[in-house]
Amino acid sequence: MYKIGMFDSGIGGLNVLEEVKKLMPYENIIYYQDSSHNPYGEKSDEELWVIVSDIVEYLKKEGVKEVIVACNTATTRCIKRLREEYKDLIFIGTEPAIKVATDNNYKNIILLATPGTINSDRLHELINNNQSDENIYLIECSGLANAIENHDHDEIINLLHNYLDDYKDKNIDSVVLGCTHYGYIKNEIIDILGNIKLIDGNLGVARQAKRMLEENNLLDGTEIGRIDIIEK
Ligand code: DGL
């Protein structure tokens, strides 16, 4: 029986899974790799809800107690409704780590994310809660998660130049990776922007997932857990 369920529109959330495994090696985890519906970031709220709630139903049947939404888009657009509709499950979200960037005194911050995340109310709430005198540049990266999912390196480089070239002279000191897929293109981002700090929220998500299991007295494994990846 699995305790933790995770999902994303493909390989992006595997970056979150790495941190979860390190922190909770004794848990049985099922990861739903929903490549068939990639990109989530370019879907309407209703389309996304149908996809996401189907996955949660599936994970629930597998017996999970906690669902880690290993996707910024699904988190910013659906997690509120998931918490309302599935009160018996614990939901952990993955959100753009704006707070980490501002807490560390970065001043010229780029946020890279999908259109779905950039245009979500939740993102604007996160910015309002954390921004003081920083410049935060929001870049809506249509097509990028899909190019990463398809391992299309030429397209990844073309898109990154389109999105980042205008920022080369803006003293950028940090880039928040606001989509879990972007963890795979760190070197390519540094090649364009140079000496910048890359920030993601993956470790924070894993810590929160562990904390919530502890609080609910659900952390009790003693043998190395099993990890299953369901590829769609
Ligand atoms: N990996 C997802 C995210 O963190 C979504 C990518 C997509 O399917 O658009 O936003």
Side-chain angles (χ1 to χ4, degrees), residues 8-9 12 38-41 70-73 114 117 145 178-181:
D8 181 35
S9 65
N38 185 285
Y40 283 4
C71 170
N72 293 261
T73 311
T114 66
T117 297
C179 166
T180 52
H181 278 72

Side-chain angles (χ1 to χ4, degrees), residues 98 102 107-111 126-127 130-132 134-138:
I98 305 271
T102 54
K107 292 292 172 211
N108 292 304
I109 303 163
I110 284 181
L111 168 69
L126 281 172
I127 292 173
N130 294 296
Q131 186 175 32
S132 49
E134 305 85 0
N135 295 312
I136 304 180
Y137 302 102
L138 306 182

Side-chain angles (χ1 to χ4, degrees), residues 29-60:
I29 304 173
I30 180 168
Y31 179 94
Y32 192 105
Q33 184 174 315
D34 187 23
S35 307
S36 66
H37 290 117
N38 185 285
Y40 283 4
E42 290 163 51
K43 297 208 165 17
S44 70
D45 278 353
E46 247 348 274
E47 283 174 309
L48 195 56
W49 173 254
V50 171
I51 293 167
V52 163
S53 52
D54 277 354
I55 296 174
V56 170
E57 292 289 342
Y58 175 93
L59 295 174
K60 215 177 138 169

Side-chain angles (χ1 to χ4, degrees), residues 6-28:
M6 300 179 65
F7 71 91
D8 181 35
S9 65
I11 58 176
L14 295 173
N15 290 311
V16 183
L17 176 62
E18 281 311 304
E19 299 296 339
V20 174
K21 273 190 329 199
K22 273 190 249 161
L23 217 57
M24 295 186 279
Y26 302 113
E27 300 305 335
N28 291 340

